[in-house]
């Protein structure tokens, strides 16, 4: 075969191969479909108003009044802690209060003793006053000695000063005793409160979901001893990535799936956005409420949530995998710029650049 014919045959085979590859390239057309954009979040079910129970005092766990799963009313006893110190402190505070009351108002009290001294000083001052003024009249008449006159005057002045000092002492002592009495009353009230704190009670109507201590173990103020929450209402705690948190608003629709219920989808409503970011996970916590909760729920059930931030009944869409660099698609004319709108895990909304009759091709990996 001539060499020219060989080259022509080879060119024809190569052209045919390239044409068949081009024909096999995936091609689709944009479609008008309903479109929703959502924010993904991991979900955990928790009882509403659930809180960790702490003791405000140290001691030894003596008795557990409930079991895990028991329902409790507000004020019901949960745990009993024993410690001899509070009872001793209460008795000491009572004795100190009793002593303070006696010192302030009792018959043998400090004030009554000073009052007796004042009464005696007043009598002495009155007597010294009579003697002094009598001696002064005599001295004015040149009767008596100067020494006798000076002695009577000095005695009078000393008795006056002593009476003044005793009255001042009475006032100061009264103020001090009043202060001590008030302090003793406060200390006694505190001792009563501390004694009551050794019986831990429920703060809400609900259920005991966990007990972390056994009888005989030491209880401190840093570790929780139980977990209590409502039994009739559950919430969904969602962890949202920090890049998505600004898209959320209270009242947005939430679709929830739980691992325990397979593919079944539950609808809820976004109820609360917590403002503090978890620095470890770089997420924000938000809370959603079930519109119609499942019949059976337990604390800690996990799943996923999708918070709807926008939706349209019909709009031009293409699969996300057909986008190049998030703003370009491949058409018969080559790379074409497009404007995008809503997007989810699968689809993206096309606002401008192509239409329903524009063929687009999937980018090569």
């Amino acid at each position: 075969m001539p060499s020219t014919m060989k080259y022509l045959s080879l060119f024809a085979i190569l052209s045919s191969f390239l044409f068949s590859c081009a024909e096999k390239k995936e091609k689709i057309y944009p479609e008008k479909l309903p479109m929703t954009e959502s924010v993904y979040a991991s979900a955990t079910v928790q009882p509403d108003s659930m809180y960790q129970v702490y003791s405000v005092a140290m001691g030894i766990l003596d008795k557990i009044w409930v079991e895990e799963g028991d329902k409790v009313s507000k004020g019901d006893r949960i745990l009993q802690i024993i410690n001899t110190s509070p009872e001793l402190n209460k008795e000491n505070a009572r004795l100190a209060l009793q002593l303070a009351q006696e010192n302030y108002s009792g018959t043998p009290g400090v004030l009554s003793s000073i009052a007796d001294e004042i009464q005696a000083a007043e009598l002495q001052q009155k007597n010294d006053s009579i003697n002094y003024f009598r001696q002064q009249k005599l001295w004015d008449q040149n009767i008596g000695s100067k020494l006798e006159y000076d002695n009577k005057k000095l005695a009078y002045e000393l008795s006056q000063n002593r009476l003044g000092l005793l009255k001042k002492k009475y006032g100061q002592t009264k103020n001090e005793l009043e202060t001590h009495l008030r302090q003793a009353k406060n200390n006694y009230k505190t001792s009563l409160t501390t004694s009551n704190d050794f019986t831990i009670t429920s703060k809400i109507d609900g259920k005991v979901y966990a007990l972390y201590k056994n009888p005989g173990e030491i209880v401190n103020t840093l570790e929780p001893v139980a977990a209590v929450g409502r039994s009739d209402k559950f919430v969904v705690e969602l962890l949202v990535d920090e890049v998505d948190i600004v898209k959320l608003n209270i009242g947005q629709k939430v679709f929830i799936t739980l691992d325990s219920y397979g593919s079944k989808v539950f609808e809820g409503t976004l109820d609360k956005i917590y403002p503090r970011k978890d620095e470890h996970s770089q997420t924000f916590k938000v809370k959603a409420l079930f519109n119609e909760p499942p019949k059976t729920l337990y604390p800690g059930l996990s799943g996923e949530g999708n918070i709807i931030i926008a939706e349209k009944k019909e709009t031009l869409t293409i699969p996300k995998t057909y986008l190049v660099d998030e703003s370009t698609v491949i058409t018969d004319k080559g790379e074409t710029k497009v404007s995008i709108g809503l997007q989810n895990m699968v689809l993206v909304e096309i606002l401008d650049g192509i239409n329903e009759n524009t063929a687009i091709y999937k980018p090569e990996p």
Side-chain angles (χ1 to χ4, degrees):
M1 181 183 293
S3 59
T4 303
M5 293 297 292
K6 287 182 180 179
Y7 289 132
L8 289 173
S9 177
L10 182 60
F11 178 76
I13 293 171
L14 183 59
S15 298
S16 174
F17 175 75
L18 292 174
F19 180 76
S20 71
C21 286
E23 284 293 314
K24 290 180 181 178
K25 198 171 184 179
E26 292 186 38
K27 178 178 71 172
I28 64 169
Y29 291 89
E31 293 184 82
K32 285 192 174 182
L33 297 170
M35 180 74 182
T36 60
E37 183 176 359
S38 63
V39 168
Y40 170 82
S42 59
T44 306
V45 174
Q46 295 291 3
D48 190 23
S49 304
M50 188 169 182
Y51 70 98
Q52 300 293 317
V53 181
Y54 288 84
S55 172
V56 298
M58 295 183 61
I60 297 174
L61 181 56
D62 180 52
K63 187 174 181 61
I64 301 176
W65 300 100
V66 295
E67 294 182 358
E68 291 181 344
D70 284 355
K71 290 187 177 182
V72 290
S73 299
K74 184 177 180 179
D76 283 355
R77 295 177 299 179
I78 300 176
L79 302 169
Q80 183 71 39
I81 301 169
I82 59 172
N83 192 327
T84 56
S85 296
E87 291 301 322
L88 293 176
N89 291 338
K90 183 174 73 172
E91 180 61 19
N92 289 337
R94 187 189 67 79
L95 293 174
L97 175 60
Q98 181 178 344
L99 179 61
Q101 288 174 330
E102 290 177 353
N103 286 338
Y104 181 70
S105 58
T107 303
V110 177
L111 284 180
S112 61
S113 176
I114 299 175
D116 290 342
E117 290 185 58
I118 290 175
Q119 187 176 10
E122 286 176 341
L123 293 174
Q124 183 64 47
Q125 190 265 351
K126 185 176 182 181
N127 184 61
D128 290 338
S129 173
I130 294 171
N131 292 333
Y132 166 65
F133 285 111
R134 180 185 296 131
Q135 191 64 38
Q136 187 180 44
K137 288 181 180 180
L138 292 173
W139 180 249
D140 291 340
Q141 299 172 15
N142 294 321
I143 300 173
S145 66
K146 181 73 166 56
L147 178 61
E148 192 174 7
Y149 169 74
D150 290 339
N151 288 338
K152 294 287 193 276
K153 180 180 180 182
L154 179 60
Y156 169 65
E157 290 175 347
L158 289 174
S159 63
Q160 261 193 328
N161 290 338
R162 184 169 182 272
L163 179 60
L165 290 173
L166 285 173
K167 288 183 176 180
K168 185 177 180 181
K169 180 182 177 182
Y170 182 89
Q172 291 175 339
T173 304
K174 183 178 181 182
N175 289 334
E176 291 175 0
L177 292 176
E178 284 179 342
T179 302
H180 291 161
L181 181 59
R182 287 197 296 268
Q183 291 174 339
K185 286 180 178 178
N186 292 337
N187 290 336
Y188 184 62
K189 288 178 181 178
T190 301
S191 71
L192 292 177
T193 304
T194 304
S195 179
N196 291 334
D197 286 338
F198 281 76
T199 301
I200 299 176
T201 60
S202 175
K203 304 300 181 185
I204 62 173
D205 296 334
K207 180 187 289 187
V208 178
Y209 286 98
L211 294 169
Y212 303 126
K213 296 286 185 179
N214 294 313
E217 291 185 337
I218 295 175
V219 174
N220 58 43
T221 59
L222 301 177
E223 298 176 322
V225 292
V228 177
R230 288 182 58 174
S231 60
D232 59 340
K233 184 179 180 182
F234 284 78
V235 300
V236 184
E237 293 182 353
L238 303 162
L239 297 181
V240 178
D241 193 279
E242 64 174 322
V243 300
D244 295 320
I245 193 65
V246 296
K247 303 173 185 176
L248 304 188
N249 292 296
I250 302 299
Q252 288 173 328
K253 190 184 298 183
V254 184
F255 291 109
I256 303 157
T257 57
L258 298 174
D259 296 341
S260 300
Y261 284 89
S263 59
K264 188 173 182 180
V265 179
F266 301 95
E267 190 173 325
T269 304
L270 190 62
D271 181 66
K272 186 173 183 179
I273 300 173
Y274 294 88
R276 183 179 178 183
K277 183 178 77 170
D278 186 325
E279 296 295 339
H280 177 70
S281 63
Q282 299 296 302
T283 59
F284 284 83
K285 184 170 76 172
V286 302
K287 184 178 75 174
L289 301 178
F290 287 106
N291 292 353
E292 293 184 10
K295 184 178 180 180
T296 304
L297 288 172
Y298 292 95
L301 292 182
S302 60
E304 298 177 344
N306 284 283
I307 306 167
I308 306 303
I309 59 175
E311 55 185 335
K312 292 182 179 180
K313 291 183 178 180
E314 186 178 78
T315 190
L316 192 65
T317 66
I318 64 169
K320 222 171 184 180
T321 53
Y322 280 73
L323 273 180
V324 181
D325 298 330
E326 299 186 352
S327 62
T328 306
V329 293
I330 300 173
T331 67
D332 291 327
K333 297 179 182 180
E335 291 190 353
T336 302
K337 290 286 184 181
V338 293
S339 299
I340 64 173
L342 304 182
Q343 54 182 311
N344 55 35
M345 299 293 291
V346 179
L347 299 175
V348 60
E349 179 188 20
I350 301 298
L351 300 175
D352 191 31
I354 58 175
N355 56 42
E356 289 179 275
N357 301 315
T358 305
I360 60 173
Y361 299 89
K362 191 172 185 178
E364 293 181 359

